[in-house]
PDB file of all heavy atoms in Angstrom:
ATOM      1  N   PHE A 753      10.617  -5.668   1.720  1.00 96.00           N
ATOM      2  CA  PHE A 753       9.551  -4.692   1.491  1.00 96.00           C
ATOM      3  C   PHE A 753       8.519  -5.267   0.540  1.00 96.00           C
ATOM      4  O   PHE A 753       8.854  -5.829  -0.497  1.00 96.00           O
ATOM      5  CB  PHE A 753      10.123  -3.405   0.917  1.00 96.00           C
ATOM      6  CG  PHE A 753       9.078  -2.407   0.515  1.00 96.00           C
ATOM      7  CD1 PHE A 753       8.378  -1.668   1.438  1.00 96.00           C
ATOM      8  CD2 PHE A 753       8.795  -2.218  -0.839  1.00 96.00           C
ATOM      9  CE1 PHE A 753       7.422  -0.763   1.071  1.00 96.00           C
ATOM     10  CE2 PHE A 753       7.821  -1.317  -1.221  1.00 96.00           C
ATOM     11  CZ  PHE A 753       7.137  -0.582  -0.261  1.00 96.00           C
ATOM     12  N   VAL A 754       7.251  -5.070   0.865  1.00 97.00           N
ATOM     13  CA  VAL A 754       6.170  -5.552   0.008  1.00 97.00           C
ATOM     14  C   VAL A 754       5.389  -4.359  -0.594  1.00 97.00           C
ATOM     15  O   VAL A 754       5.239  -4.274  -1.814  1.00 97.00           O
ATOM     16  CB  VAL A 754       5.174  -6.441   0.784  1.00 97.00           C
ATOM     17  CG1 VAL A 754       4.027  -6.856  -0.116  1.00 97.00           C
ATOM     18  CG2 VAL A 754       5.912  -7.661   1.326  1.00 97.00           C
ATOM     19  N   ALA A 755       4.911  -3.457   0.250  1.00 97.00           N
ATOM     20  CA  ALA A 755       4.109  -2.347  -0.237  1.00 97.00           C
ATOM     21  C   ALA A 755       4.021  -1.258   0.820  1.00 97.00           C
ATOM     22  O   ALA A 755       4.264  -1.499   2.005  1.00 97.00           O
ATOM     23  CB  ALA A 755       2.688  -2.812  -0.605  1.00 97.00           C
ATOM     24  N   ALA A 756       3.703  -0.043   0.383  1.00 96.00           N
ATOM     25  CA  ALA A 756       3.500   1.075   1.287  1.00 96.00           C
ATOM     26  C   ALA A 756       2.378   1.942   0.793  1.00 96.00           C
ATOM     27  O   ALA A 756       2.035   1.932  -0.405  1.00 96.00           O
ATOM     28  CB  ALA A 756       4.774   1.895   1.400  1.00 96.00           C
ATOM     29  N   ILE A 757       1.795   2.712   1.683  1.00 95.00           N
ATOM     30  CA  ILE A 757       0.680   3.584   1.334  1.00 95.00           C
ATOM     31  C   ILE A 757       0.817   4.884   2.097  1.00 95.00           C
ATOM     32  O   ILE A 757       1.244   4.920   3.245  1.00 95.00           O
ATOM     33  CB  ILE A 757      -0.661   2.878   1.648  1.00 95.00           C
ATOM     34  CG1 ILE A 757      -1.829   3.678   1.115  1.00 95.00           C
ATOM     35  CG2 ILE A 757      -0.807   2.612   3.149  1.00 95.00           C
ATOM     36  CD1 ILE A 757      -3.143   2.914   1.105  1.00 95.00           C
ATOM     37  N   SER A 758       0.463   5.977   1.415  1.00 94.00           N
ATOM     38  CA  SER A 758       0.570   7.305   2.040  1.00 94.00           C
ATOM     39  C   SER A 758      -0.448   7.473   3.138  1.00 94.00           C
ATOM     40  O   SER A 758      -1.366   6.673   3.320  1.00 94.00           O
ATOM     41  CB  SER A 758       0.405   8.387   0.974  1.00 94.00           C
ATOM     42  OG  SER A 758      -0.892   8.328   0.390  1.00 94.00           O
ATOM     43  N   TRP A 759      -0.297   8.578   3.874  1.00 92.00           N
ATOM     44  CA  TRP A 759      -1.139   8.795   5.043  1.00 92.00           C
ATOM     45  C   TRP A 759      -2.615   8.831   4.756  1.00 92.00           C
ATOM     46  O   TRP A 759      -3.432   8.431   5.581  1.00 92.00           O
ATOM     47  CB  TRP A 759      -0.704  10.078   5.741  1.00 92.00           C
ATOM     48  CG  TRP A 759      -1.082  11.322   4.962  1.00 92.00           C
ATOM     49  CD1 TRP A 759      -0.352  11.927   3.985  1.00 92.00           C
ATOM     50  CD2 TRP A 759      -2.280  12.085   5.128  1.00 92.00           C
ATOM     51  NE1 TRP A 759      -1.034  13.022   3.495  1.00 92.00           N
ATOM     52  CE2 TRP A 759      -2.203  13.145   4.185  1.00 92.00           C
ATOM     53  CE3 TRP A 759      -3.393  11.999   5.957  1.00 92.00           C
ATOM     54  CZ2 TRP A 759      -3.221  14.103   4.065  1.00 92.00           C
ATOM     55  CZ3 TRP A 759      -4.392  12.946   5.830  1.00 92.00           C
ATOM     56  CH2 TRP A 759      -4.298  13.977   4.896  1.00 92.00           C
ATOM     57  N   ASN A 760      -2.978   9.326   3.572  1.00 92.00           N
ATOM     58  CA  ASN A 760      -4.368   9.457   3.216  1.00 92.00           C
ATOM     59  C   ASN A 760      -4.820   8.414   2.204  1.00 92.00           C
ATOM     60  O   ASN A 760      -5.960   8.474   1.725  1.00 92.00           O
ATOM     61  CB  ASN A 760      -4.651  10.846   2.673  1.00 92.00           C
ATOM     62  CG  ASN A 760      -3.871  11.172   1.426  1.00 92.00           C
ATOM     63  OD1 ASN A 760      -3.020  10.401   0.984  1.00 92.00           O
ATOM     64  ND2 ASN A 760      -4.151  12.326   0.835  1.00 92.00           N
ATOM     65  N   GLY A 761      -3.938   7.493   1.856  1.00 93.00           N
ATOM     66  CA  GLY A 761      -4.293   6.451   0.908  1.00 93.00           C
ATOM     67  C   GLY A 761      -4.232   6.855  -0.544  1.00 93.00           C
ATOM     68  O   GLY A 761      -4.568   6.044  -1.421  1.00 93.00           O
ATOM     69  N   ALA A 762      -3.831   8.089  -0.825  1.00 93.00           N
ATOM     70  CA  ALA A 762      -3.811   8.584  -2.201  1.00 93.00           C
ATOM     71  C   ALA A 762      -2.669   8.004  -3.021  1.00 93.00           C
ATOM     72  O   ALA A 762      -2.766   7.950  -4.251  1.00 93.00           O
ATOM     73  CB  ALA A 762      -3.746  10.102  -2.210  1.00 93.00           C
ATOM     74  N   GLU A 763      -1.613   7.612  -2.380  1.00 93.00           N
ATOM     75  CA  GLU A 763      -0.453   7.090  -3.089  1.00 93.00           C
ATOM     76  C   GLU A 763      -0.100   5.699  -2.540  1.00 93.00           C
ATOM     77  O   GLU A 763      -0.190   5.455  -1.335  1.00 93.00           O
ATOM     78  CB  GLU A 763       0.763   7.997  -2.906  1.00 93.00           C
ATOM     79  CG  GLU A 763       0.564   9.408  -3.432  1.00 93.00           C
ATOM     80  CD  GLU A 763       1.762  10.283  -3.149  1.00 93.00           C
ATOM     81  OE1 GLU A 763       2.750  10.217  -3.916  1.00 93.00           O
ATOM     82  OE2 GLU A 763       1.725  11.014  -2.147  1.00 93.00           O
ATOM     83  N   THR A 764       0.319   4.855  -3.447  1.00 94.00           N
ATOM     84  CA  THR A 764       0.782   3.537  -3.081  1.00 94.00           C
ATOM     85  C   THR A 764       2.061   3.204  -3.787  1.00 94.00           C
ATOM     86  O   THR A 764       2.348   3.753  -4.852  1.00 94.00           O
ATOM     87  CB  THR A 764      -0.261   2.451  -3.391  1.00 94.00           C
ATOM     88  OG1 THR A 764      -0.557   2.476  -4.807  1.00 94.00           O
ATOM     89  CG2 THR A 764      -1.549   2.668  -2.611  1.00 94.00           C
ATOM     90  N   TYR A 765       2.850   2.329  -3.200  1.00 94.00           N
ATOM     91  CA  TYR A 765       4.089   1.889  -3.818  1.00 94.00           C
ATOM     92  C   TYR A 765       4.272   0.416  -3.521  1.00 94.00           C
ATOM     93  O   TYR A 765       4.059  -0.052  -2.400  1.00 94.00           O
ATOM     94  CB  TYR A 765       5.258   2.695  -3.282  1.00 94.00           C
ATOM     95  CG  TYR A 765       6.577   2.235  -3.867  1.00 94.00           C
ATOM     96  CD1 TYR A 765       6.932   2.544  -5.165  1.00 94.00           C
ATOM     97  CD2 TYR A 765       7.457   1.431  -3.127  1.00 94.00           C
ATOM     98  CE1 TYR A 765       8.122   2.096  -5.710  1.00 94.00           C
ATOM     99  CE2 TYR A 765       8.632   0.974  -3.667  1.00 94.00           C
ATOM    100  CZ  TYR A 765       8.972   1.325  -4.970  1.00 94.00           C
ATOM    101  OH  TYR A 765      10.153   0.852  -5.504  1.00 94.00           O
ATOM    102  N   TYR A 766       4.744  -0.297  -4.538  1.00 95.00           N
ATOM    103  CA  TYR A 766       4.935  -1.733  -4.416  1.00 95.00           C
ATOM    104  C   TYR A 766       6.346  -2.141  -4.759  1.00 95.00           C
ATOM    105  O   TYR A 766       7.014  -1.514  -5.603  1.00 95.00           O
ATOM    106  CB  TYR A 766       3.971  -2.486  -5.324  1.00 95.00           C
ATOM    107  CG  TYR A 766       2.513  -2.225  -5.015  1.00 95.00           C
ATOM    108  CD1 TYR A 766       1.824  -1.208  -5.648  1.00 95.00           C
ATOM    109  CD2 TYR A 766       1.848  -2.960  -4.051  1.00 95.00           C
ATOM    110  CE1 TYR A 766       0.482  -0.946  -5.355  1.00 95.00           C
ATOM    111  CE2 TYR A 766       0.529  -2.704  -3.736  1.00 95.00           C
ATOM    112  CZ  TYR A 766      -0.137  -1.693  -4.387  1.00 95.00           C
ATOM    113  OH  TYR A 766      -1.457  -1.455  -4.102  1.00 95.00           O
ATOM    114  N   SER A 767       6.796  -3.181  -4.122  1.00 94.00           N
ATOM    115  CA  SER A 767       8.105  -3.751  -4.462  1.00 94.00           C
ATOM    116  C   SER A 767       8.131  -4.137  -5.932  1.00 94.00           C
ATOM    117  O   SER A 767       7.136  -4.636  -6.474  1.00 94.00           O
ATOM    118  CB  SER A 767       8.390  -4.968  -3.586  1.00 94.00           C
ATOM    119  OG  SER A 767       9.527  -5.678  -4.046  1.00 94.00           O
ATOM    120  N   ASP A 768       9.289  -3.950  -6.558  1.00 91.00           N
ATOM    121  CA  ASP A 768       9.433  -4.315  -7.961  1.00 91.00           C
ATOM    122  C   ASP A 768       9.544  -5.824  -8.169  1.00 91.00           C
ATOM    123  O   ASP A 768       9.306  -6.327  -9.267  1.00 91.00           O
ATOM    124  CB  ASP A 768      10.679  -3.645  -8.558  1.00 91.00           C
ATOM    125  CG  ASP A 768      10.496  -2.172  -8.751  1.00 91.00           C
ATOM    126  OD1 ASP A 768       9.339  -1.716  -8.918  1.00 91.00           O
ATOM    127  OD2 ASP A 768      11.508  -1.438  -8.788  1.00 91.00           O
ATOM    128  N   SER A 769       9.900  -6.531  -7.128  1.00 91.00           N
ATOM    129  CA  SER A 769      10.219  -7.942  -7.311  1.00 91.00           C
ATOM    130  C   SER A 769       9.561  -8.914  -6.359  1.00 91.00           C
ATOM    131  O   SER A 769       9.414 -10.089  -6.701  1.00 91.00           O
ATOM    132  CB  SER A 769      11.742  -8.128  -7.205  1.00 91.00           C
ATOM    133  OG  SER A 769      12.221  -7.706  -5.953  1.00 91.00           O
ATOM    134  N   ILE A 770       9.174  -8.485  -5.204  1.00 91.00           N
ATOM    135  CA  ILE A 770       8.692  -9.424  -4.210  1.00 91.00           C
ATOM    136  C   ILE A 770       7.312  -9.992  -4.551  1.00 91.00           C
ATOM    137  O   ILE A 770       7.126 -11.173  -4.764  1.00 91.00           O
ATOM    138  CB  ILE A 770       8.683  -8.809  -2.809  1.00 91.00           C
ATOM    139  CG1 ILE A 770      10.101  -8.336  -2.436  1.00 91.00           C
ATOM    140  CG2 ILE A 770       8.182  -9.820  -1.759  1.00 91.00           C
ATOM    141  CD1 ILE A 770      11.130  -9.453  -2.470  1.00 91.00           C
ATOM    142  N   MET A 771       6.319  -9.121  -4.605  1.00 91.00           N
ATOM    143  CA  MET A 771       4.954  -9.577  -4.867  1.00 91.00           C
ATOM    144  C   MET A 771       4.203  -8.628  -5.805  1.00 91.00           C
ATOM    145  O   MET A 771       2.986  -8.542  -5.752  1.00 91.00           O
ATOM    146  CB  MET A 771       4.166  -9.750  -3.562  1.00 91.00           C
ATOM    147  CG  MET A 771       4.718 -10.765  -2.603  1.00 91.00           C
ATOM    148  SD  MET A 771       3.707 -10.972  -1.111  1.00 91.00           S
ATOM    149  CE  MET A 771       2.285 -11.860  -1.775  1.00 91.00           C
ATOM    150  N   LYS A 772       4.956  -7.950  -6.655  1.00 84.00           N
ATOM    151  CA  LYS A 772       4.343  -6.975  -7.547  1.00 84.00           C
ATOM    152  C   LYS A 772       3.276  -7.620  -8.423  1.00 84.00           C
ATOM    153  O   LYS A 772       3.474  -8.702  -8.941  1.00 84.00           O
ATOM    154  CB  LYS A 772       5.407  -6.327  -8.407  1.00 84.00           C
ATOM    155  CG  LYS A 772       4.895  -5.143  -9.223  1.00 84.00           C
ATOM    156  CD  LYS A 772       6.006  -4.413  -9.932  1.00 84.00           C
ATOM    157  CE  LYS A 772       5.496  -3.193 -10.678  1.00 84.00           C
ATOM    158  NZ  LYS A 772       6.600  -2.451 -11.329  1.00 84.00           N
ATOM    159  N   CYS A 773       2.172  -6.919  -8.555  1.00 91.00           N
ATOM    160  CA  CYS A 773       1.020  -7.384  -9.322  1.00 91.00           C
ATOM    161  C   CYS A 773       0.228  -8.472  -8.627  1.00 91.00           C
ATOM    162  O   CYS A 773      -0.766  -8.971  -9.183  1.00 91.00           O
ATOM    163  CB  CYS A 773       1.410  -7.825 -10.736  1.00 91.00           C
ATOM    164  SG  CYS A 773       2.205  -6.573 -11.726  1.00 91.00           S
ATOM    165  N   ARG A 774       0.650  -8.839  -7.454  1.00 97.00           N
ATOM    166  CA  ARG A 774      -0.067  -9.844  -6.698  1.00 97.00           C
ATOM    167  C   ARG A 774      -0.565  -9.315  -5.361  1.00 97.00           C
ATOM    168  O   ARG A 774      -1.091 -10.087  -4.568  1.00 97.00           O
ATOM    169  CB  ARG A 774       0.775 -11.084  -6.487  1.00 97.00           C
ATOM    170  CG  ARG A 774       1.154 -11.792  -7.805  1.00 97.00           C
ATOM    171  CD  ARG A 774       1.674 -13.203  -7.551  1.00 97.00           C
ATOM    172  NE  ARG A 774       2.914 -13.190  -6.847  1.00 97.00           N
ATOM    173  CZ  ARG A 774       3.112 -13.721  -5.627  1.00 97.00           C
ATOM    174  NH1 ARG A 774       2.098 -14.270  -4.989  1.00 97.00           N
ATOM    175  NH2 ARG A 774       4.313 -13.691  -5.065  1.00 97.00           N
ATOM    176  N   VAL A 775      -0.375  -8.039  -5.111  1.00 97.00           N
ATOM    177  CA  VAL A 775      -0.852  -7.439  -3.862  1.00 97.00           C
ATOM    178  C   VAL A 775      -1.454  -6.068  -4.115  1.00 97.00           C
ATOM    179  O   VAL A 775      -1.082  -5.384  -5.057  1.00 97.00           O
ATOM    180  CB  VAL A 775       0.280  -7.300  -2.812  1.00 97.00           C
ATOM    181  CG1 VAL A 775       0.764  -8.665  -2.357  1.00 97.00           C
ATOM    182  CG2 VAL A 775       1.449  -6.496  -3.407  1.00 97.00           C
ATOM    183  N   THR A 776      -2.383  -5.694  -3.263  1.00 98.00           N
ATOM    184  CA  THR A 776      -2.961  -4.363  -3.286  1.00 98.00           C
ATOM    185  C   THR A 776      -3.024  -3.848  -1.850  1.00 98.00           C
ATOM    186  O   THR A 776      -3.602  -4.511  -0.986  1.00 98.00           O
ATOM    187  CB  THR A 776      -4.370  -4.381  -3.891  1.00 98.00           C
ATOM    188  OG1 THR A 776      -4.332  -4.840  -5.241  1.00 98.00           O
ATOM    189  CG2 THR A 776      -4.960  -2.966  -3.875  1.00 98.00           C
ATOM    190  N   ILE A 777      -2.423  -2.708  -1.633  1.00 97.00           N
ATOM    191  CA  ILE A 777      -2.443  -2.108  -0.315  1.00 97.00           C
ATOM    192  C   ILE A 777      -3.510  -1.020  -0.270  1.00 97.00           C
ATOM    193  O   ILE A 777      -3.705  -0.277  -1.259  1.00 97.00           O
ATOM    194  CB  ILE A 777      -1.054  -1.544   0.078  1.00 97.00           C
ATOM    195  CG1 ILE A 777      -1.049  -1.126   1.555  1.00 97.00           C
ATOM    196  CG2 ILE A 777      -0.662  -0.409  -0.828  1.00 97.00           C
ATOM    197  CD1 ILE A 777       0.337  -0.784   2.072  1.00 97.00           C
ATOM    198  N   SER A 778      -4.196  -0.912   0.827  1.00 97.00           N
ATOM    199  CA  SER A 778      -5.239   0.089   0.998  1.00 97.00           C
ATOM    200  C   SER A 778      -5.351   0.429   2.468  1.00 97.00           C
ATOM    201  O   SER A 778      -4.772  -0.229   3.335  1.00 97.00           O
ATOM    202  CB  SER A 778      -6.580  -0.393   0.439  1.00 97.00           C
ATOM    203  OG  SER A 778      -7.026  -1.554   1.133  1.00 97.00           O
ATOM    204  N   ARG A 779      -6.094   1.487   2.761  1.00 96.00           N
ATOM    205  CA  ARG A 779      -6.292   1.832   4.165  1.00 96.00           C
ATOM    206  C   ARG A 779      -7.639   2.488   4.368  1.00 96.00           C
ATOM    207  O   ARG A 779      -8.207   3.108   3.475  1.00 96.00           O
ATOM    208  CB  ARG A 779      -5.166   2.756   4.658  1.00 96.00           C
ATOM    209  CG  ARG A 779      -5.149   4.168   4.105  1.00 96.00           C
ATOM    210  CD  ARG A 779      -3.877   4.904   4.502  1.00 96.00           C
ATOM    211  NE  ARG A 779      -3.716   4.967   5.946  1.00 96.00           N
ATOM    212  CZ  ARG A 779      -2.578   5.282   6.582  1.00 96.00           C
ATOM    213  NH1 ARG A 779      -1.466   5.530   5.868  1.00 96.00           N
ATOM    214  NH2 ARG A 779      -2.536   5.343   7.918  1.00 96.00           N
ATOM    215  N   ASP A 780      -8.126   2.370   5.584  1.00 94.00           N
ATOM    216  CA  ASP A 780      -9.373   2.972   6.002  1.00 94.00           C
ATOM    217  C   ASP A 780      -9.057   3.729   7.280  1.00 94.00           C
ATOM    218  O   ASP A 780      -9.008   3.135   8.358  1.00 94.00           O
ATOM    219  CB  ASP A 780     -10.432   1.892   6.227  1.00 94.00           C
ATOM    220  CG  ASP A 780     -11.780   2.487   6.597  1.00 94.00           C
ATOM    221  OD1 ASP A 780     -11.861   3.697   6.928  1.00 94.00           O
ATOM    222  OD2 ASP A 780     -12.780   1.751   6.542  1.00 94.00           O
ATOM    223  N   ASN A 781      -8.839   5.004   7.153  1.00 90.00           N
ATOM    224  CA  ASN A 781      -8.413   5.803   8.296  1.00 90.00           C
ATOM    225  C   ASN A 781      -9.526   5.913   9.361  1.00 90.00           C
ATOM    226  O   ASN A 781      -9.222   6.128  10.535  1.00 90.00           O
ATOM    227  CB  ASN A 781      -7.949   7.192   7.863  1.00 90.00           C
ATOM    228  CG  ASN A 781      -6.598   7.151   7.201  1.00 90.00           C
ATOM    229  OD1 ASN A 781      -5.915   6.127   7.225  1.00 90.00           O
ATOM    230  ND2 ASN A 781      -6.189   8.271   6.609  1.00 90.00           N
ATOM    231  N   ALA A 782     -10.765   5.819   8.942  1.00 90.00           N
ATOM    232  CA  ALA A 782     -11.859   5.862   9.899  1.00 90.00           C
ATOM    233  C   ALA A 782     -11.768   4.667  10.848  1.00 90.00           C
ATOM    234  O   ALA A 782     -12.220   4.738  12.001  1.00 90.00           O
ATOM    235  CB  ALA A 782     -13.205   5.866   9.188  1.00 90.00           C
ATOM    236  N   GLU A 783     -11.214   3.581  10.368  1.00 91.00           N
ATOM    237  CA  GLU A 783     -11.053   2.386  11.167  1.00 91.00           C
ATOM    238  C   GLU A 783      -9.605   2.204  11.634  1.00 91.00           C
ATOM    239  O   GLU A 783      -9.301   1.193  12.303  1.00 91.00           O
ATOM    240  CB  GLU A 783     -11.496   1.149  10.394  1.00 91.00           C
ATOM    241  CG  GLU A 783     -12.968   1.152  10.010  1.00 91.00           C
ATOM    242  CD  GLU A 783     -13.865   1.029  11.229  1.00 91.00           C
ATOM    243  OE1 GLU A 783     -13.463   0.411  12.207  1.00 91.00           O
ATOM    244  OE2 GLU A 783     -14.988   1.573  11.164  1.00 91.00           O
ATOM    245  N   ASN A 784      -8.744   3.146  11.289  1.00 91.00           N
ATOM    246  CA  ASN A 784      -7.324   3.069  11.641  1.00 91.00           C
ATOM    247  C   ASN A 784      -6.705   1.743  11.219  1.00 91.00           C
ATOM    248  O   ASN A 784      -5.939   1.117  11.961  1.00 91.00           O
ATOM    249  CB  ASN A 784      -7.142   3.244  13.147  1.00 91.00           C
ATOM    250  CG  ASN A 784      -7.596   4.613  13.634  1.00 91.00           C
ATOM    251  OD1 ASN A 784      -7.213   5.643  13.060  1.00 91.00           O
ATOM    252  ND2 ASN A 784      -8.412   4.657  14.667  1.00 91.00           N
ATOM    253  N   THR A 785      -7.039   1.332  10.028  1.00 95.00           N
ATOM    254  CA  THR A 785      -6.627   0.049   9.551  1.00 95.00           C
ATOM    255  C   THR A 785      -6.018   0.105   8.148  1.00 95.00           C
ATOM    256  O   THR A 785      -6.521   0.809   7.275  1.00 95.00           O
ATOM    257  CB  THR A 785      -7.811  -0.950   9.536  1.00 95.00           C
ATOM    258  OG1 THR A 785      -8.359  -1.030  10.851  1.00 95.00           O
ATOM    259  CG2 THR A 785      -7.379  -2.328   9.105  1.00 95.00           C
TER     260      THR A 785
END
């Protein structure tokens, strides 16, 4: 597991050990991406 993001992008969660502080997850629902 690396990261996860809620359906609306309001919440994010990152792995404690894999790539924490080195990744940022985001989403653009208008682009379904």
Side-chain angles (χ1 to χ4, degrees):
F753 173 76
V754 177
I757 188 167
S758 63
W759 71 274
N760 61 354
E763 300 176 82
T764 58
Y765 178 76
Y766 299 93
S767 169
D768 288 335
S769 60
I770 302 301
M771 298 182 74
K772 189 173 183 178
C773 300
R774 297 195 294 116
V775 293
T776 299
I777 189 170
S778 61
R779 70 188 302 164
D780 184 346
N781 286 351
E783 297 293 330
N784 297 310
T785 303

